[in-house]
Structures are given as structure tokens and as C-alpha cells.
Amino acid sequence: MAHPRAENLSVVVHGAGDLRLENRPVPEPGPNGDRVAIEPGAPRDIDEFCKIGRYNLSPTIFFCATPPDDGNLCRYYTHNASFCYKLPDNVSFEEGALIEPLSVGIHACRRGGVTLGSKVLICGAGPIGLVCLLVAKMMGAAQVVITDLSASRLEKAKEIEADFLIQIKKETPKEVACMVQDLLNCMPDITMECSGAEASIQTGIYATRSGGTLVLVGLGPEMVHIPIVNAAVREVDIKGIFRYCNTWPMAISMLASKRVNIKPLVTHRFPLEKALEAFETTKKGLGVKVMLKCDPNDQNP
């Protein structure tokens, strides 16, 4: 429970490029005692999307840090109890915080239909591409190829057991697709595009086998040029994802089983008081996941 006079240090956005540390009122807590992971999206209405289990698509959903809804990057925060999930004793708070990006990987792999024996291409080895890699392997993918411009990010992908790495230089999308096919000795069943880059989406279409699935995970420009006829005549299904839904229980089970190790993705840690420095680190493209530690008494991983 928060002390009545405790400071609620918060990271507040005042405008583009204007990020400030401020003290805000400490919210009144409810019954407490459990360690929990927070799913940041909570439906406001039981609408048609909630009724079919796809509450992430509800147009009135509350979602942290999506205007007009405030975020939760602060020391004390209250949230809808139905979207707070109890953490097992063997899952740390840091792992609990990583359930959010891990959930993107779970939702993407579900949408793509990853299963035992799948051959998978992941375009982009940033944090989301790497969690897609972890989840695809957990769901039974036989081989995973991952691409990126950055050699250091590909090294991180290798560390978490990517089967094949492709560092993109000046190759065309068709050339990258041929490289993927050469590595797998076939075209991948499923491609997960995690960068949002136009050329990468083109690669995803060219690379995916006929009858396969391309999942658009990364968000780029609203309008892109893609070889849609190539996808159409080969019946390549193109699916989008929007955040996640019904993923926290699976993610917690995966972490509790210790069959998924997400800890290597955290490359930098900062106390909340150094949040501005943490954001600058991310802006410079350093590391993979930058972790802010909100509890002043617990700065350990």
C-alpha cells in the first residue's frame, strides 16, 4: 500500500519531444497483497467485439497511454482488477513487465497459425521480432529465419535460438525472398513482418509459400506499395494484428514453466528517476529492451 505522503513519481508527455518527470497524486488502492501483471487494455463496454472474445478491437476500449487515456508509467497506479493477473512466486516483476511485449508475439503467432513443424520467416529483429521468435519456437516451429539491418540485433536473435540469420544490406525484396528459400530449402509457411517497412512487407509477400500466411505485426506508413496480385494469385493470406487479447494467462504459464527465457531481451535498466535518460537510450537505438524500475527498494533484475 502506498504511504499517505508518498510521492507518485510519473513520466508525463506534454507534447512532441517534451517528456517530464512529475509528482502526481497517489491513487487510492483497493484490497492489496498480490503481485500482479497488468494488461493495459480494459473494455469499457460489453460490445459485439467483447462478446466474441476480441475485446482488443472494441472502439471504446480503455488503453494505457492512448489519448485520451493516461498511461501507467508511474510509481503508484490503480487498474481494472479483471485485467490484473496474479504472478506465480517464480515469476519476477521484471518478467511480469515483459508479458506485454510477449503478448504481441503470442497474438501474432496465433493469428499466423504457428504450430508443430512450421517454417517461419520473421522480418525485423527488434523487441517484437524477438518475442515472435521466442513464441514461435515455443509453439513448435521447426525452423525460423529472421532478418534485420542490425548485426547486433541478429546476434541477440542467434542467442535466443534463431535457426538462420539474414543481415539486410542492399538486396531487393525478391532477392531476400530467394535467400530465405535457399536457407529453408522451401518457402516459409508463415511470415511475420515486424518492422512496418514497405520493402519488408514486399519481402514477406514474395517469400511466403502459396497458401501460406503473412502477418503484419509492425506498423509503418498508412499507405504502402505492395505486390498484392502476387499474394492474390498464390492465395497468400494477409492478416493484421492489433495489440493482443486473451494472452496474459498463456504468457504467465510460459514464464512460470521456465521453458521460455525472456530475460536476455532486457539490455538496459534505469531507476524511474532516470526515465528521461532511459528514453534517450531507446531513441539512440541502443540495446533491445530498456527497463524502468519503479520500486526504489528493488533495482535488481
Side-chain angles (χ1 to χ4, degrees):
M1 179 181 292
H3 189 278
R5 292 183 296 276
E7 292 184 343
N8 189 17
L9 190 62
S10 308
V11 182
V12 182
V13 177
H14 285 266
D18 187 3
L19 197 64
R20 307 179 197 174
L21 280 169
E22 299 178 357
N23 275 310
R24 292 204 159 189
V26 177
E28 187 64 32
N32 63 88
D34 289 332
R35 301 166 60 252
V36 299
I38 293 171
E39 180 173 357
R44 288 186 170 95
D45 304 302
I46 306 302
D47 59 17
E48 58 184 310
F49 298 106
C50 291
K51 290 175 181 177
I52 61 171
R54 300 182 72 178
Y55 55 86
N56 59 311
L57 301 179
S58 173
T60 61
I61 193 170
F62 168 89
F63 200 88
C64 292
T66 302
D69 301 325
D70 284 339
N72 59 357
L73 190 47
C74 49
R75 186 150 284 151
Y76 301 108
Y77 173 74
T78 56
H79 194 70
N80 185 327
S82 295
F83 289 84
C84 296
Y85 299 83
K86 187 174 180 179
L87 291 174
D89 291 341
N90 67 337
V91 176
S92 68
F93 274 130
E94 189 162 289
E95 289 173 303
L98 291 168
I99 289 172
E100 196 276 342
L102 187 61
S103 284
V104 178
I106 292 171
H107 192 47
C109 288
R110 283 177 174 170
R111 294 277 289 158
V114 177
T115 188
L116 290 171
S118 296
K119 304 290 182 69
V120 177
L121 166 63
I122 298 173
C123 300
I128 297 303
L130 294 175
V131 293
C132 286
L133 165 60
L134 285 170
V135 176
K137 283 288 192 175
M138 182 70 177
M139 288 185 171
Q143 291 180 307
V144 179
V145 182
I146 190 164
T147 69
D148 204 276
L149 297 167
S150 167
S152 62
R153 289 194 167 185
L154 289 173
E155 278 302 310
K156 181 62 71 173
K158 182 178 180 181
E159 180 185 333
I160 59 174
E161 301 185 359
D163 297 285
F164 302 106
L165 313 173
I166 297 177
Q167 185 175 4
I168 305 297
K169 295 178 181 175
K170 295 183 179 180
E171 298 86 356
T172 67
K174 285 186 176 180
E175 288 171 340
V176 177
C178 289
M179 294 166 70
V180 172
Q181 185 171 356
D182 289 344
L183 288 171
L184 292 174
N185 293 316
C186 64
M187 300 172 81
D189 307 296
I190 300 141
T191 297
M192 286 180 274
E193 201 300 302
C194 299
S195 73
E198 181 176 279
S200 189
I201 299 171
Q202 294 170 356
T203 296
I205 291 175
Y206 289 131
T208 306
R209 72 167 177 83
S210 298
T213 301
L214 167 63
V215 184
L216 301 180
V217 186
L219 297 178
E222 182 178 0
M223 299 294 291
V224 294
H225 293 86
I226 59 172
I228 195 66
V229 173
N230 180 287
V233 299
R234 296 194 301 109
E235 296 190 3
V236 173
D237 293 338
I238 300 176
K239 295 185 177 183
I241 75 161
F242 184 60
R243 299 171 179 155
Y244 30 66
C245 61
N246 306 305
T247 54
W248 255 249
M250 176 181 281
I252 290 171
S253 294
M254 291 167 67
L255 294 172
S257 73
K258 300 305 177 185
R259 294 178 63 192
V260 168
N261 182 13
I262 199 168
K263 294 177 183 178
L265 300 192
V266 181
T267 54
H268 296 74
R269 295 174 177 86
F270 294 88
L272 185 59
E273 290 79 2
K274 294 185 178 180
L276 303 187
E277 184 180 340
F279 275 91
E280 281 300 315
T281 300
T282 300
K283 185 178 179 180
K284 292 175 183 176
L286 301 176
V288 180
K289 285 299 283 185
V290 176
M291 182 69 67
L292 280 169
K293 310 290 283 189
C294 292
D295 185 350
N297 298 315
D298 178 16
Q299 298 297 312
N300 298 314

